[in-house]
Amino acid sequence: MNTADLLEKHPKCTIVVKQWFLDRMIESFKDETVPEDFKDYMRQQGIDSSRIASMVGSNPRILFSVLDEQHIYVQITINMQNLNKPSFTWSINGKDGGAWYETRIEAEKEAIVNAFKTLEEKL
């Protein structure tokens, strides 16, 4: 999953994701010493896609909260039949992804790609 490409292919999702990150950043400025004009400046500047792509690329599950707020629920399931080599799959809103992956992060990335498709259609 190339996060920058994913954001580019899903412009409606990108707006939602950027707004979510911006809201969290501004919320972290609750400290009264941060001037309102600086908060307004941050709202105007926003967060660029490359910064979001960097954050998401290394930790795709950071988007699960964004998706939850949009009522798109991602679940990662582990198969422990082979205790030395578990496998992982995903589902979105209860619909199975179908494939199994060797690592959790691979399953998470594939789930995010499919969740973005779902969200883009919803928006």
Side-chain angles (χ1 to χ4, degrees), residues 17 21 28 33 49 56 77-78 100 103 107 112 116-117 123:
V17 170
F21 277 99
S28 71
T33 62
S49 293
V56 171
T77 303
I78 184 171
W100 288 88
T103 67
I112 293 296
F116 263 51
K117 290 175 188 174
L123 297 172

Side-chain angles (χ1 to χ4, degrees), residues 60-72:
R61 73 180 64 123
I62 197 169
L63 289 176
F64 289 2
S65 294
V66 179
L67 294 165
D68 284 355
E69 288 184 10
Q70 298 297 317
H71 306 288
I72 296 177

Side-chain angles (χ1 to χ4, degrees), residues 64 67-68 71-78 88-101 104 106-116 118:
F64 289 2
L67 294 165
D68 284 355
H71 306 288
I72 296 177
Y73 302 103
V74 174
Q75 179 177 350
I76 304 298
T77 303
I78 184 171
F88 304 85
T89 191
W90 55 270
S91 63
I92 296 173
N93 292 348
K95 183 178 177 187
D96 290 336
W100 288 88
Y101 301 87
R104 180 191 308 259
E106 288 174 309
E108 289 171 350
K109 287 180 178 181
E110 191 61 28
I112 293 296
V113 168
N114 285 277
F116 263 51
T118 301

Side-chain angles (χ1 to χ4, degrees), residues 17-49:
V17 170
K18 285 181 175 183
Q19 188 60 51
W20 187 88
F21 277 99
L22 183 61
D23 290 347
R24 295 305 149 313
M25 185 176 61
I26 290 173
E27 188 176 302
S28 71
F29 294 150
K30 287 183 178 176
D31 183 351
E32 293 178 18
T33 62
V34 177
E36 277 303 313
D37 59 340
F38 179 74
K39 292 178 189 178
D40 291 339
Y41 172 77
M42 291 304 296
R43 284 185 194 95
Q44 291 170 1
Q45 293 300 308
I47 299 174
D48 65 16
S49 293

